[in-house]
Amino acid sequence: MDKISRREALKHIVAGVAFAAMPTVSHAAHLPKYRKISGKLSFYNIHTRDSISIKYLARDGNFDFGAITDLEYIFRCHYTGKVHPIDPGLFLLLDNVRTRMGANRHRYRLISGYRSPEYNRELARRSSAVAKNSYHVKGMAADVRLEGLSLDSLRRTAVRLKKGGVGSYSDFIHLDVGPYRCW
């Protein structure tokens, strides 16, 4: 990961402490079950140019909170720099899709993770395709593509899971951990 300022490091730590205090994510048993996951993820954020390859699950199935904090930093709003807790079910979903595709050596290109309300309003002002109550603002969505693989195969794999939202766009796929729906 790139070097960060003390201020950014402090924001990163505060976000991690907030995440660790969330009672519903202390054990993987509280989250959706997936038969196929690797416990590892790789991302390249196209806006910040940050990248990460990390093991986010321990052998016992619990989350590695340090790794989750690192992932949340990668998923931060590039417009404001705000770090926000990300629903850990999103990491499980992204891992499950990538693993089912046999693409664990491919990293996700992250187009959009968390969006601050300010940034989401700005995007909604420019495009009717942006939801006012976006799952991005809740830390429950990611717009991604997998390096070297087709968007169509990514979409098909995600749709087959029937978990969360799957949206198709010209240069990325939207995945979220809300109710199952496709567009």
Side-chain angles (χ1 to χ4, degrees), residues 63-157:
F63 288 99
D64 176 328
F65 291 112
I68 296 296
T69 300
D70 290 344
L71 286 166
E72 288 174 342
Y73 183 74
I74 295 291
F75 272 64
R76 73 191 180 281
C77 178
H78 72 273
Y79 185 77
T80 63
K82 288 182 182 174
V83 176
H84 185 275
I86 301 298
D87 185 318
L90 181 60
F91 299 132
L92 293 171
L93 176 62
L94 289 161
D95 185 1
N96 188 232
V97 169
R98 190 173 81 150
T99 301
R100 283 180 175 270
M101 292 180 72
N104 286 341
R105 294 178 192 233
H106 298 262
R107 70 180 171 175
Y108 279 107
R109 291 179 81 71
L110 180 65
I111 288 84
S112 185
Y114 168 68
R115 287 188 200 148
S116 67
E118 303 91 339
Y119 183 50
N120 201 67
R121 278 192 298 274
E122 177 62 26
L123 290 176
R125 199 174 59 79
R126 290 189 236 159
S127 170
S128 62
V130 176
K132 288 187 172 126
N133 295 317
S134 171
Y135 281 99
H136 287 280
V137 177
K138 300 172 186 177
M140 298 171 64
D143 295 338
V144 295
R145 59 183 173 255
L146 270 168
E147 293 178 347
L149 298 170
S150 77
L151 288 176
D152 190 52
S153 62
L154 177 60
R155 182 194 55 76
R156 278 195 319 268
T157 303

Side-chain angles (χ1 to χ4, degrees), residues 11-36:
K11 285 183 195 176
H12 194 66
I13 291 166
V14 169
V17 169
F19 178 83
M22 294 173 63
T24 59
V25 295
S26 61
H27 297 284
H30 298 289
L31 297 162
K33 298 288 184 193
Y34 292 100
R35 289 189 349 227
K36 288 188 167 192

